[in-house]
Amino acid sequence: MKKNTLDDDIENVFAYLEFRNSFQMGFVPYFCFKKRIKYILDTDDYLHIRKIFGHLITKGFVIKKKNRASTRYCWNPFSLEESLLVSSKLQTFN
């Protein structure tokens, strides 16, 4: 069984969330995204799931909203270009 790299997993998660129109979920807790990523990748490695989710937040594909004591997240694939999705290891500074 071939193990995917982090970049491959990020692209798979992005493609699935975009295909399923996940922006219609609205603002939901982290565990909703965790369950979807777990289903997409068929993995129980919570550190890997958190790493992928963190990458999507830093690239701007997931919006973070603080609501009193809870934090909610919303999928927003329209905010940035898709070219920013790849290159999780490479960062360019202008």
Side-chain angles (χ1 to χ4, degrees):
M1 186 168 134
K2 183 185 170 210
K3 186 133 183 161
N4 289 344
T5 63
L6 180 64
D7 289 335
D8 293 339
D9 288 344
I10 291 170
E11 288 184 19
N12 290 339
V13 168
F14 181 86
Y16 180 85
L17 292 175
E18 188 175 33
F19 176 75
R20 296 289 298 186
N21 293 329
S22 295
F23 61 88
Q24 293 178 349
M25 290 190 313
F27 285 92
V28 294
Y30 165 71
F31 72 84
C32 292
F33 281 100
K34 183 177 88 170
K35 284 198 277 186
R36 283 200 173 195
I37 295 171
K38 183 178 176 180
Y39 170 75
I40 296 164
L41 301 178
D42 192 29
T43 182
D44 289 328
D45 186 7
Y46 67 92
L47 292 175
H48 189 66
I49 293 171
R50 182 53 109 166
K51 195 181 298 184
I52 291 169
F53 186 72
H55 180 77
L56 293 174
I57 287 177
T58 57
K59 294 296 181 180
F61 294 112
V62 175
I63 299 170
K64 183 178 179 180
K65 182 179 179 183
K66 196 85 160 133
N67 187 10
R68 294 192 184 169
S70 65
T71 305
R72 303 280 178 150
Y73 303 94
C74 181
W75 174 251
N76 186 14
F78 307 115
S79 62
L80 296 174
E81 299 175 17
E82 195 169 333
S83 62
L84 294 175
L85 177 65
V86 192
S87 71
S88 61
K89 297 174 188 166
L90 301 174
Q91 292 183 359
T92 57
F93 298 100
N94 296 342

